[in-house]
Amino acid sequence: VYKRQIHIVRKGTTSLIMLLLVSSCSFLDIDPTAIRTGDSFMNDETNAELAINAAYNSLASHERWSDGLLESHSFYIGEIMADFAEMGSHKGDFDDLERMIEWRPYTDEIILYCTWKRCYDGIYRCDYVLENIGEAPISESLKQRIEGEAYFLRAMNILRLTTMFGSIPITEGIIPTESYGKIPQKNLHECFEIAASHFEKAIDRLPTKNQYESKNIGRATKGAAQAMLARLYMLQEGMDKDCQIAAWDSVYKYTDLVIKSGEYNLANNYATIHEPEGENNIESIFEIQFGSSSVLNSGSGTSREDIGTTSQIRCGIRSAQNEGLPGGWGYYQPSQLLVDEFEDKDPRLTCTVYGPNYNDGIVYGMKRNYDLSDMQSEYYNRHLAIDPELEAKDLMTATSNSSRNVRVIRYADVLLMNAEAAYHQGKESEALDKLEMVRQRARNSTFAKGFVLGKGSTYVNTGYSNNLPKVTTTGQELLEAIWHERSVELALEDMRYWDLVRTGRYLDRLDIVRATSKDPTATELRFANIDLRANCTARCIQGPRGVKDIPIFPLPGEEAIKWNLTQIIDLYK
């Protein structure tokens, strides 16, 4: 794992912009700390790569404490705001997140502020690259690649801001001082269009996966840009009432390009995907790369001395003592609704949850202790379970951060997007074929690693037969089968909320959450006296279905004042 850092001093300012560079591979194997001025920084190939590497780090910063900010994990919105995950821990432990779950957020919610700040930090870093790369004395091929990476990462940040906040200010290039507070907001449709244009520019410039050297594993590729553009169009089709294009045709086009590239495939065993050995595998299209170290702290403005993600500690077992494991915070717990969504004998469930009343509490071959009084469901997130042989020792240090990569998009998602697009084009046989590819892999997979007591490093065969039957249905039932497959294949991968919103099912699912959510040791429903649907509807704008069913989060109040921005929903208090 290579970790380096640099400072860029922007001309005309007194602030330093920290560019903190991380990887769990070796594409950031670069020279140690250096200081450059903004005007002269990109004067050779090494420095040009340093600058774009810093833009990758802004994407990673959502997953850790840094610069005095809380994490802004994508799962806060993508999963915990939906029906298949609970906040975890106990009531009152994270008031900001609780208010968001109940759809009564303030404009100063820390999660929203941190997301906003980090996304715009990422956009600025990309703008710095794009503004200066043209005159850099480097090869045209490297210049093209770096431009492609910058457009890709800029689009990623804009897409996240767009889908959360609806209307945001977007500039062309670095904002001059005299324009502060005068940048007009773009509406939801315009933001989607800008992000799409960036992904298209990235596609034109980026190498394919196989054109990269091994030292560059983890960088954006042509396939990653195509897959993310397909995701954008899928979201736009279901969220943007002013969408003028045949979005499903575009989803089909770009997923088909990824499929026919021959560079990606399904991993043989689903159970390996979220393990350390599954990082950057044949199925991986784009991952956020992480490392772990206790040597990095100079000038970063953070008390954390590492470059990992806080996910595993934040989501680990809370309160109960377990020998050889660090204490966790107990967040992001799978719900009973998620467990019930899995079909009988689906091996993927074993890789998705663990807990006191599931598989006798065994995880990584050991029976663990749990405290139900400090849990909001009976399950913990198996994707983020700590391997006692590979990770526990490092995570028990004072820094407590993980080197686990975050999977942003993988080949199974592309297949299921392609299936859904094929369905909407009337190509039901194609949709069924792609759906079967995903289900076939699942039915033949093993139990989770260490599912059997005493076999912590072993993938044990399930012995199942006739499980996960082939889908043969048509029409609306086929569409719902594809939605179901997304819900279990991509469980806890931060897409559930967005899938519900884009398909118009979110408000109905809030009613189900209200009618079922209950702490394991409680007798009363958690939201019995809170009308989740009404709260959310009051914060929705009109979507393509002609009703107000697209939730919009409030702009951070301080930012709205500083930049003279208008809140889309005036009902926020």
Side-chain angles (χ1 to χ4, degrees):
V1 178
Y2 296 89
K3 293 78 55 179
R4 299 292 185 267
Q5 55 187 327
I6 61 172
H7 296 282
I8 287 182
V9 184
R10 185 181 173 191
K11 184 178 180 181
T13 71
T14 59
S15 63
L16 293 179
I17 297 176
M18 167 63 71
L19 304 187
L20 184 64
L21 311 174
V22 300
S23 173
S24 64
C25 302
S26 58
F27 82 78
L28 298 178
D29 182 14
I30 48 183
D31 290 336
T33 300
I35 293 182
R36 301 286 188 271
T37 65
D39 290 341
S40 64
F41 182 77
M42 298 179 72
N43 57 3
D44 59 32
E45 292 189 354
T46 298
N47 284 338
E49 287 198 325
L50 281 169
I52 192 60
N53 290 349
Y56 281 96
N57 181 68
S58 70
L59 198 63
S61 67
H62 289 275
E63 309 290 329
R64 61 171 177 260
W65 290 294
S66 61
D67 301 319
L69 295 178
L70 182 75
E71 323 97 314
S72 51
H73 298 288
S74 55
F75 62 68
Y76 287 141
I77 308 298
E79 296 292 344
I80 296 178
M81 291 296 297
D83 55 345
F84 283 170
E86 310 285 4
M87 181 187 80
S89 183
H90 58 262
K91 186 172 178 58
D93 191 34
F94 196 170
D95 289 343
D96 289 62
L97 183 54
E98 287 182 28
R99 283 193 296 269
M100 289 176 61
I101 292 169
E102 295 172 5
W103 279 104
R104 52 182 188 88
Y106 299 159
T107 58
D108 62 350
E109 302 293 4
I110 188 66
I111 295 170
L112 301 179
Y113 173 74
C114 291
T115 300
W116 179 276
K117 185 178 186 302
R118 287 193 166 110
C119 285
Y120 276 108
D121 176 60
I123 291 170
Y124 171 81
R125 295 183 187 200
C126 293
D127 286 344
Y128 174 84
V129 170
L130 292 170
E131 189 170 285
N132 290 280
I133 193 69
E135 302 301 319
I138 62 177
S139 69
E140 285 302 313
S141 60
L142 180 58
K143 189 178 296 186
Q144 282 282 304
R145 193 204 82 194
I146 290 175
E147 282 186 353
E149 291 175 274
Y151 279 120
F152 176 86
L153 296 169
R154 196 175 200 266
M156 292 282 284
N157 283 299
I158 291 174
L159 183 59
R160 186 168 187 177
L161 289 167
T162 298
T163 51
M164 284 181 62
F165 299 107
S167 175
I168 60 172
I170 302 178
T171 64
E172 294 296 331
I174 294 174
I175 307 171
T177 304
E178 60 270 20
S179 296
Y180 287 2
K182 301 176 184 178
I183 306 301
Q185 288 170 257
K186 304 289 187 181
N187 63 34
L188 182 73
H189 173 71
E190 292 170 324
C191 293
F192 269 121
E193 294 295 297
I194 291 170
S197 71
H198 287 354
F199 280 130
E200 289 168 352
K201 291 175 182 177
I203 291 168
D204 291 340
R205 291 165 172 79
L206 287 171
T208 65
K209 180 179 180 179
N210 292 337
Q211 288 173 331
Y212 273 116
E213 297 178 64
S214 59
K215 67 180 181 180
N216 286 311
I217 289 175
R219 291 192 183 278
T221 64
K222 185 182 296 291
Q226 290 167 334
M228 286 305 304
L229 182 54
R231 177 179 285 181
L232 178 150
Y233 282 129
M234 182 177 70
L235 292 169
Q236 185 177 16
E237 189 280 335
M239 297 178 68
D240 177 12
K241 67 179 178 62
D242 298 317
C243 183
Q244 302 296 317
I245 65 168
W248 283 119
D249 290 349
S250 295
V251 175
Y252 184 88
K253 170 187 174 180
Y254 287 107
T255 53
D256 195 52
L257 286 170
V258 175
I259 292 167
K260 290 180 177 177
S261 72
E263 295 195 309
Y264 307 95
N265 209 334
L266 294 174
N268 289 331
N269 185 4
Y270 176 89
T272 65
I273 291 172
H274 294 283
E275 300 294 338
E277 60 263 38
E279 293 180 350
N280 300 311
N281 66 5
I282 187 67
E283 186 163 347
S284 171
I285 295 180
F286 187 70
E287 298 181 15
I288 301 174
Q289 309 290 314
F290 286 100
S292 182
S293 173
S294 60
V295 301
L296 198 58
N297 194 34
S298 69
S300 67
T302 172
S303 61
R304 314 304 298 180
E305 294 183 336
D306 49 34
I307 55 174
T309 167
T310 61
S311 293
Q312 281 187 285
I313 290 296
R314 178 163 285 276
C315 302
I317 300 172
R318 186 181 181 95
S319 299
Q321 295 298 310
N322 283 286
E323 183 177 356
L325 281 185
W329 290 22
Y331 287 96
Y332 189 16
Q333 293 187 267
S335 70
Q336 187 64 48
L337 289 172
L338 172 58
V339 173
D340 293 343
E341 182 74 14
F342 283 85
E343 296 164 67
D344 184 40
K345 296 181 181 180
D346 186 338
R348 292 173 293 191
L349 178 60
T350 72
C351 309
T352 305
V353 304
Y354 71 102
N357 297 317
Y358 179 75
N359 190 36
D360 202 27
I362 297 168
V363 61
Y364 283 115
M366 301 178 70
K367 184 173 182 178
R368 294 300 185 177
N369 299 316
Y370 306 86
D371 185 350
L372 277 172
S373 67
D374 229 352
M375 299 172 67
Q376 288 194 334
S377 85
E378 295 186 1
Y379 309 98
Y380 281 108
N381 185 337
R382 179 60 182 79
H383 296 340
L384 297 173
I386 297 168
D387 187 328
E389 293 186 8
L390 299 180
E391 302 166 309
K393 184 177 180 181
D394 287 343
L395 287 171
M396 292 179 76
T397 66
T399 54
S400 300
N401 280 9
S402 168
S403 61
R404 287 274 187 107
N405 288 356
V406 172
R407 282 65 165 170
V408 175
I409 192 164
R410 54 186 178 87
Y411 190 63
D413 194 349
V414 168
L415 290 175
L416 292 173
M417 285 194 290
N418 184 268
E420 194 169 346
Y423 167 84
H424 285 289
Q425 292 181 321
K427 303 174 182 177
E428 292 196 352
S429 61
E430 285 191 36
L432 287 165
D433 287 344
K434 299 304 190 303
L435 180 60
E436 173 58 16
M437 290 173 67
V438 177
R439 289 177 67 80
Q440 182 180 35
R441 190 269 299 275
R443 75 170 64 98
N444 294 326
S445 292
T446 69
F447 287 130
K449 182 180 180 181
F451 190 70
V452 175
L453 186 65
K455 296 183 179 294
S457 300
T458 305
Y459 294 97
V460 175
N461 290 328
T462 64
Y464 294 156
S465 62
N466 301 318
N467 60 320
L468 299 181
K470 188 174 182 178
V471 174
T472 58
T473 188
T474 61
Q476 180 67 23
E477 290 184 357
L478 172 56
L479 179 60
E480 292 177 1
I482 296 169
W483 290 346
H484 160 76
E485 202 63 28
R486 288 186 63 83
S487 69
V488 292
E489 172 68 26
L490 306 177
L492 306 181
E493 293 187 36
D494 309 341
M495 281 300 297
R496 177 63 177 174
Y497 170 84
W498 304 112
D499 277 347
L500 292 177
V501 169
R502 71 175 178 85
T503 56
R505 295 176 289 157
Y506 183 67
L507 295 174
D508 289 340
R509 294 302 294 184
L510 285 182
D511 287 339
I512 295 175
V513 169
R514 185 186 185 196
T516 59
S517 290
K518 184 175 66 173
D519 291 359
T521 58
T523 57
E524 296 182 356
L525 294 172
R526 186 179 305 130
F527 303 114
N529 299 315
I530 301 171
D531 193 336
L532 298 177
R533 175 189 279 264
N535 289 355
C536 182
T537 301
R539 292 153 175 81
C540 286
I541 61 174
Q542 183 176 321
R545 288 161 291 276
V547 297
K548 291 185 176 181
D549 60 355
I550 307 299
I552 295 295
F553 294 95
L555 306 179
E558 182 180 343
E559 295 294 302
I561 293 171
K562 285 182 178 179
W563 290 91
N564 193 29
L565 306 177
T566 302
Q567 294 286 1
I568 306 306
I569 305 297
D570 292 332
L571 295 176
Y572 283 123
K573 297 180 180 179

